[in-house]
Amino acid sequence: MKMQFLSACAACAISALAAAAPALAVCKTVTVSATGQQMPDIDEATSSAGDALVGKVVATYGKTWTMGSHRNGSFHCDKILAGRKPGWTCTARTTAICSPSTQ
């Protein structure tokens, strides 16, 4: 009984691995950074920086290119104290961009 269960589990695992084969992608090692707009909340500022980075990658490299994995990216945020409405400004940076493979 245990052997049949293990065989069934192994068959399911092999099927799952075959179905989840990673998609091929072409990646470039480039550094791209962009600064978002000043926002009152750090989460909003981070989101703004991410949107700015995506826009810069698309404008520079084309619509099919996106940021690489999260391991290649970072955010740097500063609290802006001067001015009438203090808030946060963040810069997003990636060191790799990827595009789906055409193969």
Side-chain angles (χ1 to χ4, degrees):
M1 180 74 168
K2 288 183 182 180
M3 192 58 148
Q4 291 173 336
F5 178 74
L6 292 176
S7 295
C9 288
C12 290
I14 291 171
S15 296
L17 286 174
L24 296 176
V26 176
C27 296
K28 292 181 181 181
T29 302
V30 296
T31 300
V32 182
S33 62
T35 302
Q37 296 192 5
Q38 182 176 332
M39 299 290 184
D41 182 65
I42 191 167
D43 292 330
E44 293 171 350
T46 303
S47 179
S48 176
D51 292 343
L53 182 61
V54 168
K56 188 170 184 179
V57 168
V58 168
T60 305
Y61 297 97
K63 291 190 308 186
T64 61
W65 291 92
T66 60
M67 294 174 285
S69 72
H70 294 288
R71 293 180 307 216
N72 299 324
S74 64
F75 287 94
H76 175 82
C77 298
D78 293 310
K79 176 81 172 171
I80 308 300
L81 301 174
R84 296 177 68 185
K85 295 183 180 180
W88 291 90
T89 301
C90 295
T91 300
R93 178 178 172 224
T94 187
T95 58
I97 59 171
C98 296
S99 178
S101 175
T102 57
Q103 298 179 16

